[in-house]
């Protein structure tokens, strides 16, 4: 009789083992699904945060239009130069629409004259200001007299929301 019980017990133990394996696999699948959900939620939250921060950047940091961009690159830079005893000689601006972008770029080439220490202080303040100005290049040229002020050309850019058909 005992032998008969053993035979009937083996299929049962296989069935239990099979159920245990299926339960373990289901637990692993559930854990994987939970991890995917967490990753997707994190990605969505990150995207939402980036979208909000980009909106703030467009609204509060970038000049709102080409007129504001011109004021920033010409008037604001001239005022900043004056506070550092630097002479604003002249400037020229060139707008550029950026293909495939909602932004446009305004680049200014500005000629200035000043002493080396004043130029350094001016550039530091320009680069650390809250205004969004990118210093593209600086070309310094000194005269034959080492005590003479430096002539320098500063090329700067800023970006603004493009208005179709407006330059």
């Amino acid at each position: 009789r005992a032998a008969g019980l053993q035979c009937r017990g083996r299929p049962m133990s296989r069935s239990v083992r099979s159920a245990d394996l299926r339960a373990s696999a289901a637990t692993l699948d559930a854990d994987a699904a939970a991890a995917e959900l967490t990753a997707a939620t994190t990605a969505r939250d990150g995207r939402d945060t980036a979208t909000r921060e980009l909106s703030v950047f467009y609204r509060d940091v970038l000049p709102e239009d080409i007129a504001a961009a011109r004021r920033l690159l010409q008037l604001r830079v001239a005022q900043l130069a004056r506070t550092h005893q630097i002479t604003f000689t002249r400037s020229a601006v060139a707008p550029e629409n950026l293909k495939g972008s909602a932004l446009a770029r305004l680049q200014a080439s500005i000629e200035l004259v000043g002493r080396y220490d004043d130029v350094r202080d001016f550039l530091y303040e320009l680069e650390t200001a809250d205004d969004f100005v990118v210093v593209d290049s600086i070309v310094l040229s000194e005269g034959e007299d080492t005590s003479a002020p430096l002539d320098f050309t500063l090329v700067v850019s800023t970006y603004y929301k493009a208005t179709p058909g407006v330059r």
Side-chain angles (χ1 to χ4, degrees):
R1 232 179 170 180
L5 288 176
Q6 272 186 337
C7 287
R8 282 189 269 165
R10 282 187 188 157
M12 179 76 114
S13 68
R14 282 189 199 140
S15 176
V16 168
R17 248 184 266 130
S18 176
D20 285 346
L21 289 174
R22 285 194 308 271
S24 293
T27 300
L28 289 175
D29 288 345
D31 290 347
E36 286 181 29
L37 176 61
T38 299
T41 301
T42 301
R44 182 203 61 218
D45 292 348
R47 183 198 67 223
D48 292 347
T49 299
T51 299
R52 276 192 310 278
E53 289 176 359
L54 190 57
S55 293
V56 168
F57 179 74
Y58 282 160
R59 184 185 68 238
D60 297 344
V61 177
L62 289 183
E64 65 187 46
D65 57 20
I66 192 168
R70 282 181 194 274
R71 282 191 302 275
L72 172 61
L73 292 186
Q74 291 182 302
L75 181 61
R76 174 78 176 106
V77 170
Q79 291 169 339
L80 185 61
R82 197 169 25 256
T83 65
H84 289 281
Q85 291 76 47
I86 293 175
T87 304
F88 185 95
T89 307
R90 67 185 188 98
S91 70
V93 296
E96 175 187 2
N97 288 321
L98 303 174
K99 187 175 180 177
S101 176
L103 298 178
R105 178 174 106 160
L106 184 66
Q107 186 175 61
S109 176
I110 305 168
E111 293 180 15
L112 303 142
V113 178
R115 292 178 329 121
Y116 178 76
D117 289 339
D118 295 333
V119 170
R120 280 185 38 188
D121 293 342
F122 162 76
L123 290 173
Y124 176 79
E125 190 169 340
L126 179 65
E127 289 183 325
T128 58
D130 290 337
D131 298 318
F132 190 78
V133 175
V134 177
V135 176
D136 297 318
S137 68
I138 303 166
V139 177
L140 296 171
S141 56
E142 71 180 281
E144 293 187 23
D145 181 4
T146 57
S147 64
L150 297 171
D151 292 330
F152 67 104
T153 302
L154 178 67
V155 178
V156 291
S157 297
T158 193
Y159 296 82
Y160 59 93
K161 280 271 204 170
T163 305
V166 175
R167 285 191 64 134

